Amino acid sequence: MPWINIIHFIVQSETQIPKWLDRNKVNIVYHDEIIPKEQLPTFNSSTIEMYINNIVGLSNKFIYGNDDTFPNNKLSPSNFFTKDNKIITNIFKRKFYDMNWYHMLRNSMALIYKLCNIKSYSRSYIDSPNHADVPMIRDNNIELYNNQLDVIYKASSMFRQNNNFSQFIWVLYSIYKKGGINKKMFNMKTLTINENKKELIKELTIPNSVEYLCINDNEHNT
């Protein structure tokens, strides 16, 4: 993805910056530069994601990724954005389980449905984008943030809680409120290091049609 202009790398402190990282190629963003001081310290990625729009120099069109998502083949801007600057992402129905991540996603969906006057949804299923790097429009995010400032602030916490919002709150807003396109972005695969080690090595070393990887770990990894 050589068309990416700049990479913003969000960290809590210097201790989270790898020694091998070439700082000439990335912009280091510290928590206290984007998150209200009343919300610090935080060890909650969901809280951090509520304030990514405060990054100085962030493009209006940007792609947000976590530390477990990796491009694995050639991709172009057209995988993420339309020519008229709307996002493209794949949203599908996922069965709800009583787990933190699912609660955060359902909270996000419920808020966006309310704002968009979408009347009905099943509490047994949630709208879920693929867990890959996702496109966002900063102007859309800021509009939502300013409109729901108190709600987002109160839902932020030091550690993960079931009342948090997910990063996908921004994506769902751009899809349902701003006319984003819900369609398949690329071929992707989710692998767990401990359970899919041979398949993971194959995907990383042999050219193939899988364009994105989500590489998860679990309690058995060291």
Side-chain angles (χ1 to χ4, degrees):
M1 300 165 64
W3 41 272
I4 296 291
N5 293 323
I6 188 171
I7 297 172
H8 300 284
F9 188 58
I10 304 174
V11 297
Q12 189 273 330
S13 67
E14 289 284 326
T15 59
Q16 294 183 328
I17 304 173
K19 292 181 179 179
W20 48 261
L21 185 67
D22 185 348
R23 297 200 187 191
N24 294 318
K25 296 183 179 181
V26 300
N27 175 42
I28 304 297
V29 179
Y30 296 96
H31 287 186
D32 62 6
E33 294 177 334
I34 60 173
I35 302 172
K37 62 180 181 180
E38 306 85 34
Q39 299 276 6
L40 295 174
T42 185
F43 307 94
N44 182 353
S45 60
S46 297
T47 294
I48 298 167
E49 289 162 348
M50 295 304 99
Y51 299 103
I52 55 177
N53 307 297
N54 292 334
I55 296 174
V56 175
L58 184 66
S59 298
N60 192 43
K61 292 193 300 183
F62 70 97
I63 297 170
Y64 177 75
N66 295 120
D67 59 1
D68 58 353
T69 54
F70 304 91
N72 192 49
N73 215 321
K74 292 182 178 180
L75 294 164
S76 71
S78 62
N79 289 107
F80 299 90
F81 300 97
T82 65
K83 291 182 178 180
D84 58 347
N85 297 329
K86 298 184 185 300
I87 71 166
I88 300 171
T89 196
N90 183 34
I91 296 176
F92 59 96
K93 295 293 183 182
R94 184 193 294 267
K95 186 174 176 59
F96 176 84
Y97 293 96
D98 188 15
M99 299 168 61
N100 174 254
W101 187 85
Y102 290 88
H103 279 281
M104 293 191 299
L105 190 48
R106 188 165 69 179
N107 297 338
S108 303
M109 185 183 78
L111 177 62
I112 301 306
Y113 270 40
K114 179 180 178 181
L115 293 175
C116 297
N117 295 315
I118 301 174
K119 300 299 182 182
S120 63
Y121 69 92
S122 169
R123 293 186 64 83
S124 299
Y125 290 87
I126 51 178
D127 290 0
S128 175
N130 285 327
H131 185 45
D133 293 354
V134 291
M136 297 190 184
I137 302 293
R138 188 184 191 188
D139 285 348
N140 294 351
N141 295 2
I142 292 174
E143 178 179 288
L144 172 60
Y145 178 82
N146 289 338
N147 182 263
Q148 298 295 316
L149 176 62
D150 290 341
V151 174
I152 290 173
Y153 185 88
K154 291 176 182 178
S156 301
S157 58
M158 182 180 293
F159 300 101
R160 281 194 173 187
Q161 298 178 356
N162 285 352
N163 70 324
N164 295 153
F165 290 116
S166 158
Q167 56 158 299
F168 295 130
I169 190 173
W170 312 119
V171 175
L172 295 175
Y173 187 76
S174 280
I175 290 289
Y176 292 134
K177 188 71 172 179
K178 296 298 183 178
I181 308 300
N182 179 10
K183 73 173 187 178
K184 185 177 180 179
M185 304 163 65
F186 35 63
N187 295 318
M188 72 167 293
K189 184 178 290 188
T190 299
L191 299 172
T192 302
I193 295 174
N194 189 62
E195 298 171 2
N196 309 107
K197 191 173 295 184
K198 290 184 179 179
E199 187 176 3
L200 175 58
I201 294 173
K202 178 182 177 182
E203 295 292 354
L204 292 173
T205 57
I206 301 175
N208 57 73
S209 61
V210 177
E211 296 163 314
Y212 242 94
L213 291 173
C214 176
I215 304 176
N216 292 149
D217 59 7
N218 58 32
E219 67 272 18
H220 303 297
N221 296 324
T222 57

